[in-house]
Amino acid sequence: MTLTNSTNTLRSRPWQRSVTLALLAVAALLSATLLFNRLRNPQGLLGTAYPSGTAAPPLEGTGDDAQPLALADFKGKTVAVFFGFLNCPNICPTTLAALERVRQTLPENQRQELVSLLVTVDPKRDTPAELRTYVRSFSANARGLVIPAAQLRQAAAAWGVGFEYSNVTAPDRYDVNHTTGIYLVDREGQRRVVWDYTQLNLTDRITSDVQTVLR
């Protein structure tokens, strides 16, 4: 009886040792991942944080008031930049509405510090006047920017944004598929965080990110 128990114990030890080593490896991997994320995102932001000192690529074109406008003109403000178009059926209006909810959630003395900037990826159809009517229907602090088609693709690529025209049935009838990230630029012109479109329903968390950047 004693011999049998000893044999079973000996047989079980390699299995137990393998499980223990596997658990320790998983724990070490999780710890390393958490440490990396903490180092990359020490402020615990909801969105993906950019490394410190990441300058926002330039954006220059015509504003929704038909006057020259550049991202640099917003220095001193915190700007939520996203790329979209006026005929967008859901993502763009949802984004503008979500950003306005965040702005209204901020303390009153901070609301004027946050600007939403829609950069159209459809400059052929989206005029400055139409952009103005559209963005202002969501927020008095929202702005629109039209970049000439010849410069638009390069400007968008610098932000990691892609777009393509599809379902073309006529020169002015088509869809536009585009990247849906929202990029928060601080008052010094640094890119601080990018949110995925699917995170926009987390108003309190987005507001917390904005307040962190506003500090």
Side-chain angles (χ1 to χ4, degrees), residues 41-118:
N41 186 8
Q43 297 170 312
L45 298 171
L46 170 67
T48 302
Y50 286 95
S52 178
T54 301
L59 292 170
E60 298 180 351
T62 302
D64 54 63
D65 57 358
Q67 299 300 311
L69 181 67
L71 179 61
D73 295 334
F74 294 102
K75 190 169 184 179
K77 300 283 188 180
T78 297
V79 187
V81 177
F82 74 102
F83 293 74
F85 65 112
L86 298 190
N87 288 305
C88 180
N90 43 42
I91 290 174
C92 300
T94 299
T95 299
L96 279 167
L99 290 173
E100 179 60 11
R101 284 196 301 272
V102 168
R103 194 177 77 89
Q104 292 298 330
T105 305
L106 291 170
E108 189 172 354
N109 65 334
Q110 291 182 327
R111 291 175 191 168
Q112 295 304 313
E113 300 301 311
L114 179 63
V115 177
S116 299
L117 179 63
L118 168 59

Side-chain angles (χ1 to χ4, degrees), residues 115-202:
V115 177
S116 299
L117 179 63
L118 168 59
V119 182
T120 180
V121 291
D122 190 9
K124 181 178 179 179
R125 293 184 297 187
D126 295 349
T127 68
E130 290 171 331
L131 267 177
R132 185 177 184 83
T133 299
Y134 184 79
V135 299
R136 294 299 173 88
S137 69
F138 291 92
S139 172
N141 264 33
R143 298 294 308 273
L145 178 64
V146 181
I147 298 176
Q151 289 84 46
L152 176 60
R153 199 168 293 278
Q154 182 176 356
W159 286 76
V161 170
F163 61 92
E164 61 179 14
Y165 304 109
S166 62
N167 299 324
V168 181
T169 58
D172 61 347
R173 294 178 64 88
Y174 50 84
D175 296 327
V176 187
N177 301 318
H178 60 91
T179 302
T180 59
I182 303 94
Y183 307 85
L184 194 65
V185 179
D186 68 19
R187 60 174 61 94
E188 299 300 326
Q190 305 293 314
R191 271 194 297 186
R192 297 290 296 277
V193 62
V194 55
W195 300 299
D196 182 79
Y197 168 76
T198 60
Q199 297 174 312
L200 286 179
N201 62 321
L202 303 173

